[in-house]
Every structure is written in structure tokens, then in C-alpha cells.
Amino acid sequence: MAAISAPVVSTKPANAVDPADQIIVPPGSVGIVAPQLIAFDEPLHLSSGQTLPSYELAVETYGTLNAERSNAVLICHALNASHHVAGISASDPKDIGWWDNMVGPGKAVDTDRFFVIGVNNIGSCFGSTGPASINPETGQPWAAAFPMLTVEDWVQAQARLADHFGIHKFAAVMGGSLGGMQALSWAITCPERIAHCIVIASTPRLSAQNIGFNEVARRSIISDPDFHGGNYYAHNTVPRHGLSVARMVGHITYLSDDDMAQKFGRTQRAPADNGEFHYGYDVEFEVESYLRYQGEKFSTYFDANTYLLITRALDYFDPARSHGGDLVRAMQGVAADFLLVSFSTDWRFPPARSREIVRALLKNKRPVTYAEIDAPHGHDAFLLDDVRYHAVIQGYYDRIAAKLGLPERIQTIGVLK
Amino acid sequence: MAAISAPVVSTKPANAVDPADQIIVPPGSVGIVAPQLIAFDEPLHLSSGQTLPSYELAVETYGTLNAERSNAVLICHALNASHHVAGISASDPKDIGWWDNMVGPGKAVDTDRFFVIGVNNIGSCFGSTGPASINPETGQPWAAAFPMLTVEDWVQAQARLADHFGIHKFAAVMGGSLGGMQALSWAITCPERIAHCIVIASTPRLSAQNIGFNEVARRSIISDPDFHGGNYYAHNTVPRHGLSVARMVGHITYLSDDDMAQKFGRTQRAPADNGEFHYGYDVEFEVESYLRYQGEKFSTYFDANTYLLITRALDYFDPARSHGGDLVRAMQGVAADFLLVSFSTDWRFPPARSREIVRALLKNKRPVTYAEIDAPHGHDAFLLDDVRYHAVIQGYYDRIAAKLGLPERIQTIGVLK
């Protein structure tokens, strides 16, 4: 069913210098990594009623699957991330994995003990089958015809990936934001296949405000004349302006008000000689420069159809919906232990949203650990290095390792040194 | 210097039915109103260094100026409002003033006792001179050549309007949001001309997050191909898509998360027969429908250049800037008494921003009344009917009236019945 079509991960020892390209691998890094592309020929039946006839998943793995296949950890990504969770990309040494501070030998998710899988979701634009991929039926990019996906669809595809690796039950499925929704969905839809569920900076459903911001982003993209109804590949255009504005508004929601005040405040970018304003619509303030740069950069590498698709999957996620809105009932069959983490200044998915999940678990008498981290960095905090946050994660993985009888932690790198 | 070129306000008695068009004037209304257009020929020297050679202001007034000219109240408007503060527009009976719940006979701002002026600011698009007006030098719309304006420029123009009415000192200058900034600026720049300053849901300066949202709105407008560098009038286009997205993002910031949850939640707009989603990018949720409607409606009547100009004036406002960022020093010369009101769920200009002003006033030993209203409606709360909020305003105006020796309140309409 599944065929491996790309080289597996090549790792280098810590502190090694690659003789060819002089890449310095820092201690705690999983090393230099390259993705696998794994093809699945069995059709995937989707929540929408549509079917994806076949697909490929881009995957990276770190560490070694033990003989019992009990030490596997699946890391699920959020809107704009990928399978490249940790390490240094073989194709671009500047491309460090998006959760490299979390995953590696001796780190919170210790690749000396765990076999960690990063997977790019279907519909994304970093290697797995998505709207920019060729539709085998037409020989053209899927574009607007690519089927709509849900979190549950991604979990289904990830479960097949687990089968491919011969993993019946994950030691943990883990993710932040949209990644946390996937972890939660794993616990609900595949309860027998997940021992621990780690949900960070997430929510059991988007609020009206969350959906509102997503809709702003979508309108911005869709109303860009270069979008061409999603078929911009055929027109050789990219809806860059729309995608850029979408990213700018998204970016604001990832940061806290305080964090933006600290980072940018009202600092002027390049004031006139007398320190005055320029009185125009070019950049006056640092924050404008930063947001424009983030928007423009994003628009050069991210696929607009993927942005639409993933924001819609976020909107749709609501496991309680088929249980009359009752999250307690939705989680009745859950068998995993849970760790939930939220951040005090995250106004996108604030702590109250995580507490809803905690309460539903407690009502179902599930073991749950909950940490509310007082951190200034808003929603983005889940990606950042924070001693207390990483200590919580590390402590939880130490408990998982102890339960599984995995070897003791042999080194401690980074925040807990 | 100033010539009146339109009829003055015509009011009708409460509960009167107009024989011609059957307009019912409810009790507490100032009645049927029409704007005056007042022309100013003296050039206005602006903060930017540019000069506006001449301009017109659209104005409505309610009540009667007393012989001492001591009972005048100036109401300053926010981003998308106008001189039409109260009453029923003579040209469109459905067009009720934006602060009609606040201003009228027997209301919190009692037009039986006070002479109330509503003025449309320069640069706006509701009758006063703005980017869509004809530049006398070219015979074409000003468009992108219209000079950039600041809150201080508006105050300067409003001061000339006061001169026109023979008003040396306002009993009160009052506004919410950007209107509150104008009131604050009056107290700082014209201390001898304002007895009371009423600043509602406002801030002494925009935060980086505030500027960020404004910049998103501006990028959305400017990158719309129909914007044509601001000269869309000549191209017979309107950057409707950009303006619509700008309004959508703005609108989200005016509402609280809780308010949106209450109003829309995750309610589906028109679910498929089985209650399911449609799995597409058309409207799925009520909140999307609402925001799209608000955006599209706005784009049919609001001028894009005005949106840019006013958001920029918001960004620039920072009276402490010329005092090394010290608001206490900036307010040293203030002679007015102050009322400040903020709303608990306003995350655009949260209570902490109002408290900065309160602290600066206290350090300057100015009399200040501050009310923090626990209201669910976010920033928009300043426009809404709320018993406690309106009671605070009414109580404060009663004190102003008592100090001025104005007649007793003769009727009490509305919230305090």
C-alpha cells in the first residue's frame, strides 16, 4: 500500500562538522535531516463525502523505533508548518525544524528514547499532496478542485502512516494550536491507538472571533484578482497581495498586545531628519515594517489554496458537534492520558479554551495534567523556548518513558541544564 | 470668514407626525435635522507642514445657544461617523444620528439645556471637505493629493467652528474612541476654551497592535488594483474588495470575543439539508455572513482615501510624543475638568489606556471622574444604550449644568425613567 520514495533521515553526531559544506550541528540537534515521501494508493474517504484517490505524505523521523514499537511519538503541525519538526534540512542548512527547541537528543521530547514522526498534512504545500499537486485525472494542478479537508481526515491519513511504520499505538500524539486539535481528535477517533495526548495552546472549537479572523484572511485572498477562483497556477499568477494581508492579520493574532508593545511599541522605522513623521502611507512604525515583511515573505512560499483549506479545517473542527455540542459526551470513549498546556497571554486560544477540555476529561474521569504558563508571547509561545513550559513537557515525557520502561534520560540539553 | 450655505436645523416637537411624509418623531429625539455647510476661506496650516487653502465643514446643531454662550457642547466623531449625531435626517428618515441614544431633550446630553454641535471632520466623506472633494486648483477630486491630517488639525478646524458660532469656551467637548482623542487634544491644545473634557473608550496613543490592525486595513485597500494609487475617482472605480476586508477586520476589533460568541457563536447560516456543512468557502457560519455584509455595505458608502487618512490620524495621535513620551508633562497646561469612561471588554482601547490618562490628570491635580463600565459589548459599547453608562454621563452633565446655572432638567427620557 505504501511505498517509500525518498531517502530516510540521515543524522550526524552532535557537534559534528560536515566536511563537505561545513554545517555545524549543535548539541541537542537531531542533525541533518531529509524528508521521506510515502505514497498511499488506497483512496481516502473524507468528511466532506469526497474521496482523495491517492496521496503522498512528506515525513521526517528522528530517533529509533524500539523493538516493541512502543516509543513512537507523532507531532502534528499547525497552519504554516510541516513535517520538518527538528534538525537541519539537508537541502537548506538555514532551514531548522519548527520545533527544534522541543525535539532532539536530551531535549523535552528526547529522541534518544522516543521515535518521533513529523508529517506534513494533506492539503499543505510542503511536500504532501495538496492543491498545487497534479491531479492524476487531469494532469493539471488540483487547484480549486482539491477536496476540502478536516482535522478528522488528517488523523485518518496519519493513522495509515502509523500502519506504514507498523505502529499500533503511539506513546504520544502531540501538537500545538491546530496540531493540538489533531492530537485531541486522535484521542477521540482512535482511542486504542494513543497512550498519551498532548494538546498545547489549543481549543475544542473555534470561537466566532476566531472564525471571523479566518474569514477576513479568506476574503482577502479570494478577492485578489490574481486568485482566479483558485486556479492561479494556470494563469501563472499568485494572489500575493491577498495572501500577504491574510498573513498580516493572522500574525497579529499570534502575538500578545503586550508582546507587540515590547517588541515594537510606537518606535518609528526611519523618521525624517527632525525625528518627525513622513505623513504618508509608507512605513512609519517598526510594527508596520515587521508585518509587511512577514506578509510579503509568506506570500512567496505559501500556497494560497492551502491557506484557505487549512483555515477552513480550523473553522470546522468541533468534536462536540455530533454530540449535541456536549464535549463531555464527545470524549466519553477517550482512553489516553492527557497533558494540556495553555499560555496566559494567548488571546487566540486562551487558557479558558484549554480548561474546557480539562473539565470534559475530568468529568470522564480521565487522568489529566494541565499547566497554564504565564508567558508574555501570546499564541506563539507554544513555539518558543520557555524554561517552565519545556520543563512541563519534559517531565511529562519522563513519566511516559518510565511507564513504558524506556531507558533513563542520558543527557539533558538546553533549558534544564 | 465663514458663510452658512445650508438651512439650519429644523426640529419638530416630540411625538409629532410630519403631515407630509408621516415621519414619527419619538419622544427624546431632537427631531428632523438637516446639516449646515459652513465655508472657511482662511488657509488651515496642518501638522504635516502642508496647507489646506480653504474648506467646508458639515455641521448639525441641536438645542439653543444661551445668551452667555456658555452652554455649548461639541461632539467629536470616530472613524466612520459624522456630524449627524442625533435626530432624524431630513433627507433620509431611516438615518438616525449615531449617538441619538445619548443626545436629545431629556437625554444624558440634554438638548433642552445644552447647545450641541456635531461636526464632520475634514478628510471625512460625509459633507466636509475631503479627498473626494474638488481641489479648486485642479478642478479634479483631491484624491491622493489631499493632505494628511492629525487630531490636532481637526481640533484647529473645530476651534474655528467655535469662533464661527461665537463660542469662546465649550461647556464640554466630548467623544468616544477617536472622538475622545479629539476631546483630549482640545484640553491640551486649547485649555482656555474647554470647561469639561469627556473622553470615552479612548486612549492617549495607539498600541503596536492597534497600529498593526490599521496597517492591515490600509494594505488591503492600497493593494486593491481598483485603488489606482488613490486616484480611483478618475478611473471610475472603487477599491471595494480592499475596503470591505478593511472594514471586516476593523469590525472584529470593535466587538468583544464574548459578544461575538453570544451574537453568533458557531451558528451555521444555512446548513445543508442534513444539518451538515457545505464544505466550501461560501458562507457557512452566521459570523461570516455578518462580517461580509458589514464589509460590503461599508464599501458602498465610505471613501477609501478617507479610511486611509483617518486610520493614519489614529496612528499619529500621541500628545505625549513632543514631551519625551511623558503624558503627565503633556497635560501640565490642562485646565478642564475630566470625565473618562472605559468598558471592561473593550480590547481595542482597554480600561488600562483610560487609566493612563486618569493617572496623568491626577498627577497634575486636575479634577477627574473615571467610570469603568462592566459591559459585554467591547469597544462598540460606547455607542450603545447602557443604563449605568448613560447614568454616569447624565450625572456629569447635571453637574456641568449646575455649575453653569443652567435650568433644571425638565424631563427625563429613556434609561433613567
Side-chain angles (χ1 to χ4, degrees), chain A residues 162-230:
Chain A
D163 295 341
H164 162 77
F165 283 110
I167 297 161
H168 174 64
K169 186 174 193 165
F170 280 111
V173 178
M174 172 178 182
S177 191
L178 174 58
M181 296 178 187
Q182 293 162 59
L184 180 58
S185 182
W186 262 95
I188 294 172
T189 62
C190 308
E192 74 291 350
R193 301 198 68 175
I194 165 174
H196 295 85
C197 180
I198 303 177
V199 178
I200 303 168
S202 195
T203 176
R205 70 184 74 79
L206 258 58
S207 69
Q209 188 190 70
N210 295 147
I211 296 172
F213 279 124
N214 281 347
E215 176 66 0
V216 166
R218 286 190 295 264
R219 294 317 300 165
S220 175
I221 291 168
I222 289 172
S223 64
D224 185 325
D226 285 334
F227 181 66
H228 294 291

Coordinates of all heavy atoms in Angstrom, one line a residue, chain A residues 162-230:
Chain A
A162 N 0.8 5.6 10.5 CA 1.2 4.7 11.6 C 1.3 3.2 11.2 O 2.2 2.5 11.5 CB 0.3 4.9 12.8
D163 N 0.3 2.8 10.5 CA 0.2 1.4 9.9 C 1.5 1.2 9.1 O 2.1 0.1 9.2 CB -1.0 1.2 9.0 CG -2.3 1.3 9.8 OD1 -2.3 1.2 11.0 OD2 -3.3 1.5 9.1
H164 N 1.8 2.1 8.3 CA 3.0 2.0 7.4 C 4.3 1.7 8.2 O 5.1 0.9 7.8 CB 3.2 3.3 6.6 CG 4.5 3.5 6.0 ND1 5.0 2.8 4.9 CD2 5.6 4.2 6.4 CE1 6.2 3.1 4.6 NE2 6.6 4.0 5.5
F165 N 4.4 2.4 9.4 CA 5.5 2.2 10.2 C 5.3 1.0 11.2 O 6.2 0.7 12.0 CB 5.8 3.5 11.1 CG 6.5 4.6 10.3 CD1 5.8 5.7 10.0 CD2 7.8 4.4 9.9 CE1 6.4 6.7 9.2 CE2 8.5 5.4 9.2 CZ 7.8 6.6 8.9
G166 N 4.2 0.3 11.1 CA 3.9 -0.8 12.0 C 3.7 -0.4 13.4 O 3.9 -1.1 14.4
I167 N 3.2 0.8 13.6 CA 3.0 1.4 14.9 C 1.5 1.2 15.2 O 0.6 1.8 14.6 CB 3.4 2.9 15.0 CG1 4.9 3.0 14.8 CG2 3.0 3.4 16.4 CD1 5.3 4.4 14.4
H168 N 1.2 0.3 16.2 CA -0.2 0.2 16.5 C -0.7 1.3 17.5 O -1.8 1.8 17.3 CB -0.5 -1.2 17.2 CG -1.9 -1.2 17.7 ND1 -3.0 -1.2 16.8 CD2 -2.5 -1.3 18.9 CE1 -4.1 -1.2 17.5 NE2 -3.8 -1.3 18.8
K169 N 0.2 1.6 18.4 CA -0.2 2.6 19.4 C 0.9 3.6 19.7 O 2.0 3.2 20.0 CB -0.6 1.9 20.7 CG -1.2 2.7 21.8 CD -1.6 1.9 23.0 CE -2.4 2.7 24.0 NZ -3.1 1.7 24.9
F170 N 0.6 4.9 19.5 CA 1.6 5.9 19.8 C 1.7 6.1 21.3 O 0.8 6.1 22.1 CB 1.1 7.3 19.2 CG 1.4 7.4 17.7 CD1 0.3 7.4 16.8 CD2 2.7 7.5 17.2 CE1 0.6 7.5 15.4 CE2 3.0 7.6 15.9 CZ 1.9 7.6 15.0
A171 N 3.0 6.2 21.7 CA 3.3 6.6 23.1 C 2.6 8.0 23.4 O 2.1 8.2 24.4 CB 4.8 6.7 23.4
A172 N 2.7 8.8 22.4 CA 2.1 10.2 22.5 C 1.8 10.7 21.1 O 2.6 10.5 20.1 CB 2.9 11.1 23.3
V173 N 0.7 11.4 21.0 CA 0.4 12.3 19.9 C 0.4 13.7 20.4 O -0.3 13.9 21.5 CB -0.9 12.0 19.1 CG1 -1.1 12.9 18.0 CG2 -0.8 10.5 18.6
M174 N 1.1 14.6 19.8 CA 1.4 15.9 20.4 C 1.3 17.0 19.3 O 1.7 16.8 18.2 CB 2.8 15.9 20.9 CG 3.4 17.2 21.4 SD 5.0 16.9 22.1 CE 5.5 18.5 22.6
G175 N 0.7 18.1 19.7 CA 0.7 19.3 18.8 C 0.3 20.6 19.5 O -0.3 20.5 20.6
G176 N 0.6 21.7 18.9 CA 0.2 23.0 19.4 C -0.8 23.6 18.4 O -0.7 23.4 17.2
S177 N -1.8 24.4 18.9 CA -2.7 25.1 18.1 C -3.5 24.1 17.2 O -4.1 23.1 17.8 CB -2.0 26.1 17.2 OG -2.8 27.0 16.6
L178 N -3.5 24.2 15.9 CA -4.2 23.2 15.1 C -3.6 21.8 15.3 O -4.3 20.8 15.2 CB -4.1 23.7 13.6 CG -4.6 22.7 12.5 CD1 -6.0 22.4 12.7 CD2 -4.3 23.3 11.1
G179 N -2.3 21.8 15.6 CA -1.7 20.5 15.9 C -2.3 19.8 17.1 O -2.5 18.6 17.2
G180 N -2.7 20.7 18.1 CA -3.3 20.2 19.3 C -4.7 19.6 19.0 O -5.2 18.6 19.6
M181 N -5.4 20.2 18.0 CA -6.7 19.7 17.6 C -6.5 18.3 17.1 O -7.4 17.4 17.3 CB -7.3 20.6 16.6 CG -7.6 22.0 17.1 SD -8.4 23.0 15.7 CE -8.4 24.6 16.6
Q182 N -5.5 18.1 16.3 CA -5.3 16.8 15.7 C -5.0 15.8 16.8 O -5.5 14.6 16.8 CB -4.1 16.8 14.7 CG -4.4 17.6 13.5 CD -3.2 18.1 12.7 OE1 -2.4 17.2 12.3 NE2 -3.0 19.3 12.5
A183 N -4.2 16.2 17.8 CA -3.9 15.2 18.9 C -5.2 14.9 19.6 O -5.5 13.7 19.9 CB -2.9 15.9 19.9
L184 N -6.1 15.9 19.9 CA -7.4 15.7 20.5 C -8.2 14.8 19.7 O -8.9 13.9 20.2 CB -8.0 17.1 20.8 CG -9.4 17.1 21.4 CD1 -9.3 16.5 22.8 CD2 -9.9 18.5 21.5
S185 N -8.2 15.0 18.4 CA -9.0 14.2 17.5 C -8.5 12.7 17.5 O -9.3 11.8 17.5 CB -9.0 14.8 16.1 OG -9.8 14.0 15.3
W186 N -7.2 12.5 17.6 CA -6.7 11.2 17.7 C -7.3 10.5 18.9 O -7.7 9.3 18.9 CB -5.2 11.2 17.9 CG -4.4 11.0 16.6 CD1 -3.9 11.9 15.8 CD2 -4.0 9.7 16.1 NE1 -3.3 11.4 14.7 CE2 -3.3 10.0 14.9 CE3 -4.2 8.4 16.5 CZ2 -2.8 9.0 14.1 CZ3 -3.6 7.4 15.7 CH2 -3.0 7.7 14.5
A187 N -7.3 11.2 20.1 CA -7.8 10.6 21.3 C -9.2 10.2 21.2 O -9.7 9.2 21.8 CB -7.5 11.6 22.5
I188 N -10.0 11.0 20.4 CA -11.4 10.7 20.3 C -11.7 9.7 19.3 O -12.6 8.8 19.5 CB -12.2 12.1 20.0 CG1 -12.1 13.0 21.2 CG2 -13.6 11.8 19.6 CD1 -12.6 14.4 20.9
T189 N -11.0 9.8 18.1 CA -11.4 8.9 17.0 C -10.6 7.6 17.0 O -11.1 6.6 16.4 CB -11.3 9.6 15.6 OG1 -9.9 10.0 15.4 CG2 -12.1 10.9 15.6
C190 N -9.5 7.6 17.6 CA -8.6 6.3 17.6 C -8.2 6.1 19.0 O -7.0 6.0 19.3 CB -7.4 6.5 16.7 SG -7.7 7.0 15.0
P191 N -9.1 5.9 20.0 CA -8.7 5.9 21.4 C -7.8 4.7 21.7 O -6.9 4.9 22.6 CB -10.1 5.7 22.1 CG -11.0 5.2 21.1 CD -10.6 5.8 19.8
E192 N -7.8 3.6 20.9 CA -7.0 2.5 21.3 C -5.6 2.6 20.7 O -4.7 1.8 21.0 CB -7.7 1.2 20.8 CG -7.6 1.0 19.2 CD -8.5 2.0 18.4 OE1 -9.3 2.7 19.0 OE2 -8.3 2.0 17.2
R193 N -5.3 3.7 20.0 CA -4.1 3.8 19.3 C -3.2 5.0 19.9 O -2.2 5.3 19.3 CB -4.3 4.1 17.8 CG -5.1 3.0 17.1 CD -4.9 3.0 15.6 NE -3.6 2.7 15.2 CZ -3.2 2.6 13.9 NH1 -4.1 2.8 13.0 NH2 -1.9 2.3 13.6
I194 N -3.6 5.5 21.0 CA -2.8 6.7 21.5 C -2.8 6.5 23.1 O -3.9 6.5 23.7 CB -3.5 8.0 21.1 CG1 -3.0 9.2 21.9 CG2 -5.0 8.0 21.0 CD1 -3.4 10.6 21.4
A195 N -1.6 6.4 23.6 CA -1.5 6.3 25.1 C -1.5 7.6 25.8 O -2.2 7.8 26.8 CB -0.2 5.6 25.4
H196 N -0.9 8.6 25.2 CA -0.9 10.0 25.8 C -1.2 11.0 24.7 O -0.7 10.9 23.6 CB 0.4 10.3 26.4 CG 0.8 9.4 27.6 ND1 1.3 8.2 27.4 CD2 0.5 9.5 28.9 CE1 1.5 7.6 28.6 NE2 1.0 8.4 29.5
C197 N -2.0 12.0 25.1 CA -2.4 13.0 24.2 C -1.9 14.4 24.8 O -2.3 14.7 25.9 CB -3.9 13.0 24.1 SG -4.6 14.3 23.0
I198 N -1.1 15.1 24.0 CA -0.5 16.3 24.5 C -1.0 17.5 23.6 O -0.7 17.6 22.4 CB 1.0 16.2 24.5 CG1 1.4 15.0 25.3 CG2 1.6 17.5 25.0 CD1 2.9 14.8 25.4
V199 N -1.9 18.3 24.2 CA -2.6 19.4 23.5 C -2.1 20.7 24.0 O -2.3 21.0 25.2 CB -4.1 19.2 23.7 CG1 -4.9 20.3 23.0 CG2 -4.6 17.8 23.2
I200 N -1.5 21.5 23.2 CA -0.8 22.7 23.6 C -1.5 23.9 22.9 O -1.6 23.9 21.7 CB 0.7 22.7 23.3 CG1 1.3 21.5 24.0 CG2 1.4 24.0 23.8 CD1 2.7 21.1 23.6
A201 N -1.8 25.0 23.7 CA -2.3 26.2 23.1 C -3.4 26.0 22.1 O -3.4 26.5 21.0 CB -1.2 27.0 22.5
S202 N -4.4 25.2 22.5 CA -5.4 24.7 21.5 C -6.8 25.0 22.0 O -7.0 25.7 23.0 CB -5.2 23.3 21.2 OG -5.9 22.9 20.0
T203 N -7.8 24.5 21.4 CA -9.2 24.7 21.7 C -10.0 23.6 21.2 O -9.7 22.9 20.2 CB -9.6 26.1 21.1 OG1 -11.0 26.2 21.3 CG2 -9.4 26.0 19.6
P204 N -11.1 23.3 21.9 CA -12.0 22.3 21.3 C -12.9 22.7 20.2 O -13.5 21.9 19.5 CB -12.9 21.9 22.5 CG -12.9 23.2 23.4 CD -11.6 23.8 23.2
R205 N -12.8 24.0 19.9 CA -13.6 24.6 18.7 C -13.2 26.1 18.6 O -12.9 26.7 19.6 CB -15.1 24.4 18.9 CG -15.7 25.3 20.0 CD -17.2 25.0 20.2 NE -17.4 23.8 20.9 CZ -17.2 23.6 22.3 NH1 -16.9 24.6 23.0 NH2 -17.5 22.4 22.8
L206 N -13.3 26.6 17.4 CA -13.0 28.0 17.2 C -14.2 28.8 17.7 O -15.3 28.4 17.6 CB -12.8 28.3 15.7 CG -11.3 28.4 15.3 CD1 -10.5 27.2 15.7 CD2 -11.1 28.8 13.8
S207 N -13.9 30.0 18.2 CA -14.9 31.0 18.6 C -15.3 31.7 17.3 O -14.7 31.7 16.3 CB -14.3 32.0 19.6 OG -13.4 32.8 19.0
A208 N -16.4 32.5 17.5 CA -16.9 33.4 16.4 C -15.8 34.3 16.0 O -15.6 34.6 14.8 CB -18.1 34.1 16.8
Q209 N -15.1 34.8 17.0 CA -14.0 35.8 16.7 C -12.9 35.1 15.8 O -12.4 35.6 14.9 CB -13.4 36.4 17.9 CG -12.4 37.5 17.7 CD -11.6 37.9 18.9 OE1 -10.8 37.2 19.5 NE2 -11.9 39.1 19.4
N210 N -12.5 33.9 16.3 CA -11.5 33.1 15.5 C -12.0 32.9 14.1 O -11.2 33.1 13.1 CB -11.3 31.7 16.1 CG -10.7 31.7 17.5 OD1 -11.1 30.8 18.3 ND2 -9.9 32.6 17.8
I211 N -13.2 32.5 13.9 CA -13.7 32.3 12.5 C -13.7 33.6 11.8 O -13.4 33.6 10.6 CB -15.2 31.7 12.6 CG1 -15.1 30.3 13.2 CG2 -15.8 31.6 11.2 CD1 -16.5 29.7 13.5
G212 N -14.1 34.7 12.5 CA -14.1 36.0 11.8 C -12.7 36.4 11.3 O -12.6 36.8 10.1
F213 N -11.7 36.2 12.0 CA -10.3 36.5 11.5 C -10.0 35.6 10.3 O -9.4 36.0 9.4 CB -9.3 36.4 12.6 CG -9.2 37.6 13.5 CD1 -9.4 37.4 14.9 CD2 -9.0 38.8 13.0 CE1 -9.3 38.5 15.8 CE2 -8.9 39.9 13.9 CZ -9.0 39.8 15.2
N214 N -10.4 34.3 10.4 CA -10.1 33.4 9.3 C -10.8 33.9 8.0 O -10.3 33.8 6.9 CB -10.6 32.0 9.6 CG -9.5 31.2 10.5 OD1 -8.4 31.7 10.6 ND2 -9.9 30.1 11.0
E215 N -12.1 34.3 8.2 CA -12.9 34.8 7.1 C -12.3 36.0 6.5 O -12.2 36.2 5.2 CB -14.3 35.0 7.5 CG -15.2 35.6 6.5 CD -15.5 34.6 5.3 OE1 -15.0 33.5 5.3 OE2 -16.2 35.0 4.4
V216 N -11.8 36.9 7.3 CA -11.0 38.1 6.8 C -9.9 37.7 5.9 O -9.7 38.2 4.8 CB -10.5 39.0 7.9 CG1 -9.5 40.0 7.4 CG2 -11.6 39.7 8.7
A217 N -9.1 36.7 6.4 CA -8.0 36.2 5.6 C -8.5 35.6 4.3 O -7.9 35.9 3.2 CB -7.2 35.2 6.4
R218 N -9.5 34.8 4.3 CA -10.0 34.2 3.1 C -10.5 35.2 2.1 O -10.3 35.1 0.9 CB -11.1 33.1 3.4 CG -10.5 31.9 4.1 CD -11.6 30.8 4.1 NE -12.6 31.1 5.0 CZ -12.7 30.7 6.3 NH1 -11.8 30.0 6.8 NH2 -13.7 31.1 7.0
R219 N -11.3 36.2 2.6 CA -11.8 37.2 1.7 C -10.7 38.0 1.0 O -10.8 38.3 -0.1 CB -12.8 38.2 2.4 CG -14.1 37.6 3.0 CD -14.8 36.7 2.1 NE -15.2 37.3 0.8 CZ -15.6 36.6 -0.2 NH1 -15.6 35.2 -0.2 NH2 -15.9 37.2 -1.4
S220 N -9.7 38.2 1.8 CA -8.5 38.9 1.3 C -7.9 38.1 0.1 O -7.6 38.7 -0.9 CB -7.5 39.2 2.4 OG -6.4 39.8 1.9
I221 N -7.8 36.9 0.3 CA -7.2 36.0 -0.8 C -8.1 35.9 -1.9 O -7.7 36.1 -3.1 CB -6.8 34.6 -0.2 CG1 -5.7 34.7 0.8 CG2 -6.5 33.6 -1.3 CD1 -5.4 33.5 1.6
I222 N -9.3 35.5 -1.7 CA -10.3 35.2 -2.7 C -10.6 36.4 -3.6 O -10.8 36.3 -4.8 CB -11.6 34.6 -2.1 CG1 -11.3 33.2 -1.6 CG2 -12.7 34.5 -3.1 CD1 -12.4 32.5 -0.8
S223 N -10.6 37.6 -2.9 CA -10.9 38.8 -3.7 C -9.7 39.4 -4.4 O -9.9 40.4 -5.1 CB -11.6 39.9 -2.8 OG -10.7 40.3 -1.8
D224 N -8.6 38.8 -4.3 CA -7.4 39.3 -5.0 C -7.6 38.8 -6.5 O -7.8 37.6 -6.7 CB -6.1 38.6 -4.4 CG -4.8 39.1 -5.1 OD1 -4.9 39.4 -6.3 OD2 -3.8 39.2 -4.4
P225 N -7.5 39.7 -7.4 CA -7.8 39.3 -8.8 C -6.8 38.3 -9.3 O -7.2 37.5 -10.3 CB -7.6 40.6 -9.6 CG -7.7 41.7 -8.6 CD -7.3 41.2 -7.3
D226 N -5.7 38.2 -8.7 CA -4.7 37.1 -9.1 C -5.1 35.7 -8.6 O -4.3 34.8 -8.9 CB -3.3 37.5 -8.7 CG -2.7 38.6 -9.5 OD1 -3.1 38.8 -10.7 OD2 -1.8 39.4 -9.0
F227 N -6.1 35.7 -7.8 CA -6.5 34.4 -7.3 C -7.2 33.5 -8.4 O -7.1 32.3 -8.4 CB -7.5 34.6 -6.1 CG -7.9 33.3 -5.5 CD1 -7.0 32.4 -4.8 CD2 -9.3 32.9 -5.5 CE1 -7.5 31.3 -4.2 CE2 -9.7 31.7 -4.9 CZ -8.8 30.9 -4.2
H228 N -7.9 34.1 -9.3 CA -8.6 33.4 -10.4 C -9.4 32.2 -9.9 O -9.2 31.1 -10.5 CB -7.5 33.0 -11.4 CG -6.9 34.1 -12.1 ND1 -7.5 34.9 -13.0 CD2 -5.6 34.6 -12.1 CE1 -6.7 35.9 -13.5 NE2 -5.5 35.7 -12.9
G229 N -10.2 32.4 -8.9 CA -11.0 31.3 -8.4 C -10.2 30.1 -7.9 O -10.8 29.0 -7.9
G230 N -9.0 30.3 -7.5 CA -8.2 29.2 -7.0 C -7.3 28.6 -8.1 O -6.4 27.8 -7.8

